[in-house]
Amino acid sequence: MSPEEKLDPIPDSFILQPPVFHPVVPYVTTIFGGLHAGKMVMLQGMVPLGARRFQVDFQCGCSLCPRPDIAIHFNPRFHTTEPHVICNTLHDEHWQKEARWPSLALQRGASFLILFLFGGEEVKVSVNGQHFLCYRYRLPLARVDTLSIFGDIVVKAVGFLNINPFVEGRREYPVGHPFLLKSPQLEVPCSCALPRGLWPGQVIIVRGLILQEPKDFTLSLKDEAARVPVRLRASFADRTLAWISPWGRKKLISAPFLFHPQRFFEVLLLCQEGGLKLALNGQGLGATSLGQQTLERLRELQISGSIQLYCVHC
């Protein structure tokens, strides 16, 4: 791309922050674009056997003096007679009234997956797939731009994601699919088996990072006869995203071109009766039609192109 060539404008809501693997604690990082309703922070880690306490703080800045406001202070404590979690808010260097949850859903020596789901008026927290608590904001969420982690905790991965748009408005808690931790990258091209095909309600999740000098990125769904009834293709030559049919027909998707060099992305494909719906970084972008019998015969997801893969969930 020539220096004078301009990229398509991208709304802030499309931009996702790359995951962080095995950060050293204490750990402090900027949250790209700050926090807003519809954002989710995922924390994978392990509580050491001798842990006393740790804290995850969503801060308004990162100054050392004066101490920044902390909009959301999440503080599990293991060393007391009854282990519990404290949530609180620090404003003008003064702690407000703390909120306490006596049933600690974390255990010493055990791994965990914590999701912080930010809504319009409160944050919801789940631990290992189970809803744990809600904490109502006492400071504006829009002021939060920093994440800090301190204390007795081993952090394996931190992910910054958007809520699955296909379950928006439903009551069930969103599912967080972990990043792979043995190696932060999967080999590309990558293949994922679909033993039972696709059925209504199933979601395919692909997370990764675009390489520095990309050419293309393709998701292909193959049937039992190795035919490709549907393919999603991003082309960097003309910066287009399109559905490709078996006959080479291209149906362009009208949306800002998300895939830019060295940017993190999350692709969601939702199977529904009559086809597939697409979302990029938590934004629904449209659908393509496929018969139910065709969907049930799909047996393999193939991923190729100029990317690094961090997570594939089928």
Side-chain angles (χ1 to χ4, degrees), residues 5 8 215 234-241 250 252 257:
E5 188 176 357
D8 299 333
K215 295 181 180 179
S235 171
F236 291 88
D238 54 8
R239 297 207 297 275
T240 58
L241 184 63
K250 181 185 293 186
L252 292 177
F257 188 66

Side-chain angles (χ1 to χ4, degrees), residues 50-53 76-84 104 108 152:
R52 291 177 59 82
R53 56 186 288 170
R77 301 178 182 182
F78 304 91
H79 62 287
T80 59
T81 304
E82 296 183 0
H84 59 279
L104 184 57
R108 288 171 167 167
D152 304 321

Side-chain angles (χ1 to χ4, degrees), residues 22-27 43-56 74 76 78 106 109-114 116 148-158:
H22 302 287
V24 177
V25 177
Y27 176 70
L43 183 66
Q44 291 172 246
M46 190 269 290
V47 179
L49 285 172
R52 291 177 59 82
R53 56 186 288 170
F54 71 85
Q55 64 191 65
V56 180
F74 177 80
F78 304 91
L106 297 163
S111 297
F112 62 77
L113 177 68
I114 301 176
F116 297 90
S148 64
I149 304 172
F150 300 93
D152 304 321
I153 181 177
V154 176
V155 180
K156 298 180 180 179
V158 181

Side-chain angles (χ1 to χ4, degrees), residues 18 37 125 158 279 291-292:
V125 182
V158 181
Q292 186 59 37

